[in-house]
Amino acid sequence: MRRALVAGNWKMHGSSASVARLLGELLQGLNSDAAQSDADIVVCPSHPHLAQAATLCADSAIAVGGQDCSAHAEGAYTGEVAPDMLSDLGCQWVIVGHSERRQYHGESDAVVAAKLAASHSAGLHTMLCVGETRAQREAGQAEEVVRHQLATALENRAVLDRLVIAYEPVWAIGTGLTATPQQAQAMHAFIRGLLREWSLDADGTRVLYGGSVKAGNAAELFAEPDIDGALVGGASLEAKQFLAIIAAAAQRAQAAN
Ligand code: PEP
């Protein structure tokens, strides 16, 4: 059984005060419910809040991750953050290939692959985001798009170690539209099939769903056999919502035992 994982992508939100408040509420909520230790939990604040978050989460059930990293280990890349710098701040995780990076920063599949290779070399656990736009889904190209994104990122087979894949249909991110559990399951099964086809660890690799996951729809998504947790945007900024999503993921693990 793959261990459930729930990650929060806080995007460009927060201040030191709100980070302290939100993490305080999350840590308190997790301390009062031991059952939730059945899920791995990651939060990804914006870069300026990472050190603070890592200090607040030290020795807790919450791991901290960056929302992006450079494809370079160091050098004259103004504004970039190297994967080693994330580790140095206390991060164990990083997200690469988020659709907002692809859309607003022109990150191609090749750039995402280079970032994944860099984060892997730095020893980080990486969440690799893949997913199709609405136009691509409507044109019947969803699987082809995801196949290309994954094939490029996983050309270097070594990166599968410490990798989690997040299927995030772009049309469901921050829109309130969620893929139905059946739509999500179908793509997750397709992704697992690709890993199998490429002789990679299909059964051991966690595949998260992301796209308007909330307390109200998490359990039905996690009931699907190939959905191993969620990458959560908006709802991860509210402790009550995020804790409920974690609880739904933990229950999935308990139901399987
Ligand atoms: C995300 O940013 O990865 C995401 C899934 O956002 P939301 O949950 O708000 O759709």
Side-chain angles (χ1 to χ4, degrees):
M1 175 79 191
R2 294 175 294 272
R3 193 169 153 79
L5 168 64
V6 178
N9 173 13
W10 293 359
K11 309 197 187 194
M12 199 173 70
H13 293 292
S15 60
S16 342
S18 72
V19 166
R21 193 169 51 242
L22 180 52
L23 284 176
E25 289 169 2
L26 289 176
L27 290 167
Q28 193 180 16
L30 292 171
N31 280 341
S32 64
D33 185 356
Q36 299 192 1
S37 61
D38 282 337
D40 288 337
I41 305 162
V42 182
V43 295
C44 301
S46 60
H47 286 150
H49 299 131
L50 286 173
Q52 179 195 9
T55 302
L56 290 171
C57 294
D59 302 320
S60 82
I62 304 180
V64 175
Q67 297 172 14
D68 180 42
C69 68
S70 175
H72 305 281
E74 66 173 334
Y77 301 102
T78 303
E80 293 274 282
V81 174
D84 270 341
M85 295 172 176
L86 295 178
S87 302
D88 192 37
L89 289 176
C91 294
Q92 289 139 311
W93 287 84
V94 66
I95 299 171
V96 301
H98 192 279
S99 64
E100 288 154 13
R101 299 293 314 173
R102 294 178 190 262
Q103 186 179 352
Y104 303 129
H105 301 272
E107 291 188 9
S108 63
D109 291 350
V111 167
V112 173
K115 290 187 172 200
L116 174 57
S119 70
H120 179 264
S121 298
L124 291 167
H125 295 260
T126 310
M127 283 175 263
L128 166 69
C129 300
V130 296
E132 80 287 356
T133 62
R134 178 193 280 271
Q136 289 164 334
R137 176 161 281 261
E138 285 172 357
Q141 296 166 345
E143 290 188 349
E144 190 186 316
V145 168
V146 169
R147 173 189 274 272
H148 190 268
Q149 291 170 336
L150 278 175
T152 312
L154 302 182
E155 203 168 311
N156 169 3
R157 297 299 198 233
V159 297
L160 203 75
D161 184 34
R162 299 188 303 277
L163 180 72
V164 170
I165 296 167
Y167 168 56
E168 298 209 307
V170 180
W171 48 272
I173 297 181
T175 58
L177 295 173
T178 317
T180 63
Q182 294 72 29
Q183 282 174 319
Q185 166 58 26
M187 186 59 89
H188 282 231
F190 173 74
I191 291 171
R192 223 174 280 292
L194 286 178
L195 297 180
R196 204 163 284 124
E197 181 186 322
W198 298 333
S199 302
L200 297 172
D201 184 10
D203 293 326
T205 302
R206 291 184 285 187
V207 185
L208 311 182
Y209 169 76
S212 299
V213 176
K214 301 196 166 37
N217 60 19
E220 58 178 8
L221 287 160
F222 299 158
E224 297 295 335
D226 287 300
I227 301 182
D228 303 317
L231 177 54
V232 185
S236 70
L237 293 165
E238 290 172 51
K240 212 170 144 200
Q241 284 272 335
F242 196 54
L243 286 167
I245 295 168
I246 294 165
Q251 271 159 23
R252 164 195 183 270
Q254 284 145 23
N257 287 335

